[in-house]
Amino acid sequence: MHRRLPPLNAVKAFEAAARHGSFTRAADELRVTHGAVSRHVQMLEGWLGLPLFERHNRRVVLTEAGGAYATEIGAALDRIALATARQAEGGRPRLLHVNALATFTLRWLIPRLSGFQRANPSIEVRLTTSNVPLASLADPFDVAIRGGPDTRPGHVAEPFLSERRIPVCSPALLRRLPLATPEQLRQHTLLHAATLPRVWPDWLREAGVPALEPQASVTLEHFYLTLQAALDGLGVAMGPERLIADDVAAGRLTLPFAGPSLPARSYYTYVPESRAEDPTVRAFCGWLAAAAGGP
C-alpha cells in the first residue's frame, strides 16, 4: 500500500515547534536555524493546505487544526522512537527513561529505587532531574514525575503520592531554642525557597500569626536546599510531609507542631500515550504506586 506521507523533516520541525510553542526553541532542539524551522513549517502547511500556527510577532500559537495534528504526530513519532529503541536494544537490558523533580528524586525516589531494581533486574532506569514543564523538555522520556493534576495532551496522567507541607527542623535546633507554639518562631530563622515564596506566609496565616517577624530569614535557590539547611540546623523549613518522612523516622528531622499543614500538589506520573501499555512503563508506575502506599 502506498502511503502519502508529508516531508518527514518538516514533520519533525512542526512537532518540535508545537511542543515548545516557539520556532526558536525548536531550532535549538533540532540544531538548525530559526529560518529552517520556519521554512519546514511553511512547507508542511502548504502540503496540507491549511495553517498550523498563528504568527504573532515573536511568538506562535497553534491553530485548532494544528493542535489536533500535533497530538497525532507527537504520538506517531513516539511510536517510531519506541520501535527503534526496541530493535537497537536487542538482548540488552530494557531502558526506562524517567525524568523527575529534583527534590522528589533526592528525598523520596532514590532512597527507594533499589527496591525496583531488585524486583526488575532486566530494566535499566535512566534517571534525570528537571523542574521545567514537560513541554520544555528537549529529551524524550517514558515516565515523567511532576505535580498535578495537570492536563497534558498526548499523555496519560495518574496520581500516586499525596502531599502536605508543615514546618520542620532538626532536633538539635530545638535543644538550643524551644519551639512549642507558632509565636516562638519569632526567635528562629525561617528558611525560604525562592521557587516557593508563598509557603511560609500562607502557613503563618493559617497558624494565626500572619504578621510574625522571625529573628532572621534565609532564602535559598531550590527547595531541596532548604531541607538540607534544616538538617544542618540552620533554621526551620516548610517540609513536604511525604518527602521528609524517612528523615523524621530516623530522628534527623522533627515536626515541632502537629498542625496546621498546607495542602500541596500531589505527585503524578505523566506517560506518553504511545508508552502507556508498555510492560516496562507499567512495571515502574505500578511500583511507584505500591511504594507510595496509594495516592
Side-chain angles (χ1 to χ4, degrees):
M1 181 182 69
H2 176 70
R3 291 185 176 88
R4 183 172 178 266
L5 296 176
L8 293 184
N9 282 338
V11 168
K12 288 173 57 180
F14 162 72
E15 190 275 337
R19 183 158 32 84
H20 289 291
S22 165
F23 285 5
T24 299
R25 289 199 292 272
D28 290 340
E29 175 184 324
L30 299 174
R31 298 183 181 180
V32 298
T33 65
H34 177 284
V37 171
S38 179
R39 287 192 297 274
H40 280 309
V41 170
Q42 289 176 350
M43 179 190 303
L44 185 59
E45 289 175 322
W47 195 89
L48 293 170
L50 52 82
L52 298 172
F53 288 101
E54 296 176 1
R55 276 76 167 175
H56 301 280
N57 294 327
R58 296 186 178 182
R59 65 187 184 93
V60 292
V61 179
L62 284 165
T63 63
E64 183 177 353
Y69 192 54
T71 299
E72 295 289 340
I73 288 298
L77 291 178
D78 285 340
R79 287 194 294 272
I80 292 171
L82 174 59
T84 303
R86 283 174 173 165
Q87 292 300 317
E89 288 168 13
R92 296 191 295 276
R94 290 172 290 165
L95 296 180
L96 181 72
H97 295 272
V98 178
N99 184 280
L101 297 166
T103 302
F104 173 85
T105 300
L106 290 170
R107 312 300 307 179
W108 194 93
L109 183 55
I110 287 178
R112 292 164 175 78
L113 194 57
S114 61
F116 176 78
Q117 296 283 210
R118 287 194 300 271
N120 300 273
S122 64
I123 299 176
E124 179 182 337
V125 177
R126 297 283 178 90
L127 179 60
T128 58
T129 63
S130 174
N131 294 335
V132 303
L134 297 187
S136 299
L137 284 178
D139 296 326
F141 59 84
D142 302 310
V143 181
I145 297 173
R146 292 291 189 277
D150 287 336
T151 300
R152 178 65 185 156
H155 294 75
V156 178
E158 293 290 343
F160 69 93
L161 185 68
S162 61
E163 188 59 279
R164 297 186 69 86
R165 302 188 191 280
I166 195 167
V168 60
C169 62
S170 72
L173 179 64
L174 295 190
R175 290 193 289 270
R176 298 197 308 269
L177 286 172
L179 188 54
T181 66
E183 288 82 1
Q184 289 181 316
L185 284 168
R186 300 181 192 278
Q187 306 167 20
H188 286 263
T189 296
L190 300 190
L191 303 173
H192 299 263
T195 52
L196 294 167
R198 291 300 310 167
V199 172
W200 265 117
D202 289 347
W203 187 88
L204 293 172
R205 185 181 65 252
E206 291 293 319
V209 287
L212 182 139
E213 292 291 337
Q215 178 70 27
S217 293
V218 174
T219 299
L220 299 161
E221 183 180 5
H222 296 295
F223 189 53
Y224 63 81
L225 295 178
T226 68
L227 297 181
Q228 185 59 51
L231 282 163
D232 292 336
L234 181 60
V236 186
M238 283 299 298
E241 290 182 320
R242 301 298 292 267
L243 301 195
I244 61 171
D246 293 346
D247 291 305
V248 172
R252 293 186 292 268
L253 290 173
T254 188
L255 306 178
F257 313 119
S261 62
L262 297 178
R265 282 159 61 84
S266 296
Y267 293 98
Y268 274 65
T269 54
Y270 294 87
V271 175
E273 289 178 346
S274 61
R275 302 302 316 271
E277 298 304 318
D278 182 89
T280 303
V281 171
R282 295 183 67 177
F284 184 76
C285 292
W287 170 80
L288 280 176

